[in-house]
């Protein structure tokens, strides 16, 4: 089952604003405040992953690693550095799943990143977004236990039949 999580609310970014973010990244690279790997990561966020006009992107570390040709750990460090400099904000997304027995579980989804085009010195670095996901429960717990017991009895009967056949003289 594929789950499509909503993107965080972010204002759209024009191509000129995306260009200004890229220019700021190049300036930080020349100043030595970011590495060339972090500059490539910013470039991937702006031009490879982001949809035209979108102000936020959702991509896993594995996707960014593959696009930028850098390791997953370097991607994680780079994203944290870009967030510390105010170029992006990290949105940690979680999915809540309902269990058959009535409990819930929380799972990590891929992060989303909000790009900041203007003066971003006071932009929050990390936001946590939780999505409630309620899956339809196909069968009740008692019915599941009964079906499992039926399968176990059938399996035990098949095994006993095979033992009888193997033990009989040919």
């Amino acid at each position: 089952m594929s789950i499509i999580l909503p993107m965080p609310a972010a204002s759209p970014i024009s191509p000129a604003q995306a260009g200004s973010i890229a220019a700021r990244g190049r300036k930080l690279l020349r100043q030595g405040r970011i590495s060339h790997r972090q500059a490539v990561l910013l470039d991937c966020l702006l031009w490879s992953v982001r949809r035209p006009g979108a102000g936020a992107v959702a991509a896993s570390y594995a996707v960014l690693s593959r696009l930028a040709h850098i390791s997953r750990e370097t991607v994680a460090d780079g994203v944290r550095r870009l967030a510390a400099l105010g170029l992006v904000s990290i949105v940690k997304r979680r999915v809540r799943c309902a269990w058959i027995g009535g409990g819930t579980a929380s799972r990590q989804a891929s992060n989303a990143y909000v790009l900041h085009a203007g003066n971003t010195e006071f932009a929050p670095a990390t936001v946590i977004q939780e999505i409630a996901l309620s899956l339809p429960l196909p069968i009740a717990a008692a019915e599941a236990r009964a079906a499992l017991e039926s399968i176990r009895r059938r399996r035990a009967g098949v095994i006993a039949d095979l033992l009888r056949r193997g033990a009989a003289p040919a």
Side-chain angles (χ1 to χ4, degrees):
M1 167 194 262
S2 77
I3 302 166
I4 299 175
L5 297 172
M7 286 296 296
S11 58
I13 292 180
S14 69
Q17 290 173 319
S20 72
I21 295 171
R24 183 167 177 222
R26 287 190 302 272
K27 184 178 178 182
L28 291 169
L29 177 64
R30 284 192 305 271
Q31 293 173 350
R33 295 179 66 192
I34 63 172
S35 69
H36 67 282
R37 288 180 179 92
Q38 293 163 349
V40 169
L41 179 62
L42 179 63
D43 186 72
C44 284
L45 285 171
L46 283 171
W47 308 115
S48 298
V49 181
R50 182 181 66 91
R51 290 189 177 139
V57 296
S60 66
Y61 285 168
V63 168
L64 293 173
S65 173
R66 196 170 39 251
L67 287 172
H69 298 285
I70 56 179
S71 71
R72 188 182 181 287
E73 291 79 21
T74 306
V75 169
D77 293 339
V79 166
R80 280 193 296 272
R81 181 70 181 147
L82 294 175
L85 292 170
L87 292 168
V88 299
S89 290
I90 303 168
V91 178
K92 295 185 180 262
R93 300 184 313 160
R94 301 207 48 94
V95 176
R96 288 188 178 240
C97 302
W99 288 94
I100 292 177
T104 60
S106 180
R107 302 284 184 247
Q108 173 77 38
S110 61
N111 290 338
Y113 308 100
V114 178
L115 301 164
H116 300 292
N119 185 4
T120 58
E121 293 181 26
F122 301 107
T126 303
V127 177
I128 296 177
Q129 178 185 26
E130 289 202 18
I131 311 299
L133 176 68
S134 58
L135 301 174
L137 301 178
I139 54 176
E143 292 172 356
R145 281 191 215 103
L148 183 60
E149 187 59 35
S150 170
I151 291 170
R152 286 181 183 155
R153 273 188 259 119
R154 229 178 304 136
R155 183 179 294 162
V158 168
I159 291 172
D161 188 42
L162 287 174
L163 287 176
R164 266 187 269 122
R165 287 182 190 174

